[in-house]
């Protein structure tokens, strides 16, 4: 039944936000991850916000280990003091691998741990040196990838998307801001700016 709905029937699959790590683990346990990949290969439109935007990438910069990012968050908030609620780190987790890059949702935001997502993602990339580029997606923006073409959409006229790559020679990150509403760019060329 799940196969019929996800692969054969659905034309669009929308994934909500939430705890990315929890969602991806549940999908693996049920086999939904494989069905979502099959739907992608079939050409089904895949979309989502926050965790639901990041899940389609090879990896996600995530706040899944944030203490109050759980199903019973109100109980957690009642049990932990302010220091315990803010003492957490971002993590990089594996996604579905449909888009060969790391997703950084809420790129322009600072977490409850007072750490900037953009700065932390760039630091993570510089430390790992794995050559995988990242797409930073601002709070009120959307990244649209259609085939090999990528474009940014702004929900408030200011928010946008960013391509972050690690320079192979220096090991430092470079960030290129995508122009919202601009001409779509080839995703492979955008992600390969570190060799120019």
């Amino acid at each position: 039944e799940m196969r019929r709905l996800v692969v054969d029937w659905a034309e669009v699959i929308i994934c909500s936000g939430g705890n990315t790590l929890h969602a991806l683990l549940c999908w693996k346990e049920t086999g939904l991850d494989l069905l979502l990949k099959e739907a992608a290969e079939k050409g089904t439109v895949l979309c989502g916000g926050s965790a639901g935007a990041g899940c389609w990438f090879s990896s996600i910069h995530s706040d899944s280990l944030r203490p109050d990012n759980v199903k019973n968050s109100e109980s957690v908030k009642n049990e932990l003091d302010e220091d315990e609620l803010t003492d957490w780190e971002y993590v990089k987790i594996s996604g579905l691998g449909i888009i060969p890059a790391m997703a950084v949702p809420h790129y322009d935001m600072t977490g409850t741990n007072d750490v900037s997502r953009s700065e932390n993602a760039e630091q993570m990339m510089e430390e790992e040196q794995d050559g995988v580029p990242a797409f930073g997606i601002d709070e009120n923006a959307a990244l649209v990838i259609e085939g090999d073409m990528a474009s940014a959409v702004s929900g408030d006229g200011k928010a946008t998307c960013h391509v972050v790559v690690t320079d192979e020679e220096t090991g430092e990150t470079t960030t290129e801001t995508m122009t919202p509403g601009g001409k779509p760019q080839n995703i492979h060329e955008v992600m390969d700016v570190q060799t120019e």
Side-chain angles (χ1 to χ4, degrees):
E1 179 66 10
M2 188 163 57
R3 167 179 254 298
R4 184 182 70 75
L5 291 172
V6 174
V7 179
D8 301 331
W9 181 77
E11 294 179 19
V12 177
I13 297 174
I14 301 173
C15 220
S16 70
N19 189 309
T20 318
L21 181 59
H22 177 73
L24 288 163
L25 290 174
C26 288
W27 296 349
K28 279 187 175 177
E29 287 177 13
T30 61
L32 181 58
D33 62 329
L34 299 176
L35 295 176
L36 290 169
K37 289 177 187 179
E38 193 173 333
E41 289 173 12
K42 181 184 152 205
T44 301
V45 174
L46 308 172
C47 53
S50 191
C55 66
W56 313 115
F57 289 76
S58 55
S59 61
I60 305 107
H61 181 271
S62 175
D63 63 357
S64 290
L65 300 182
R66 197 180 77 221
D68 62 339
N69 193 8
V70 293
K71 281 187 178 181
N72 58 348
S73 63
E74 285 307 312
S75 297
V76 170
K77 288 178 182 177
N78 291 334
E79 292 295 321
L80 300 177
D81 65 29
E82 190 63 33
D83 288 338
E84 292 170 315
L85 283 171
T86 59
D87 185 23
W88 58 273
E89 294 183 14
Y90 293 109
V91 291
K92 180 179 177 180
I93 60 175
S94 296
L96 295 173
I98 297 165
I99 302 167
M102 177 171 71
V104 188
H106 316 288
Y107 187 76
D108 58 337
M109 302 301 289
T110 297
T112 58
N113 60 357
D114 287 328
V115 176
S116 160
R117 285 193 85 131
S118 59
E119 290 175 14
N120 184 266
E122 291 168 13
Q123 178 184 351
M124 200 178 278
M125 292 174 70
E126 288 175 1
E127 289 172 1
E128 291 184 3
Q129 293 293 313
D130 61 6
V132 176
F135 278 100
I137 306 166
D138 285 351
E139 183 72 12
N140 291 308
L143 174 68
V144 178
I145 298 178
E146 195 171 345
D148 286 343
M149 304 304 283
S151 58
V153 177
S154 179
D156 63 5
K158 299 175 192 165
T160 189
C161 297
H162 313 267
V163 180
V164 186
V165 295
T166 307
D167 185 287
E168 293 172 349
E169 292 179 20
T170 66
E172 295 178 0
T173 56
T174 304
T175 303
E176 185 174 311
T177 300
M178 298 175 71
T179 304
K183 181 180 173 188
Q185 300 169 274
N186 183 292
I187 189 172
H188 303 289
E189 291 173 8
V190 169
M191 294 188 310
D192 198 35
V193 293
Q194 78 268 29
T195 57
E196 293 179 359

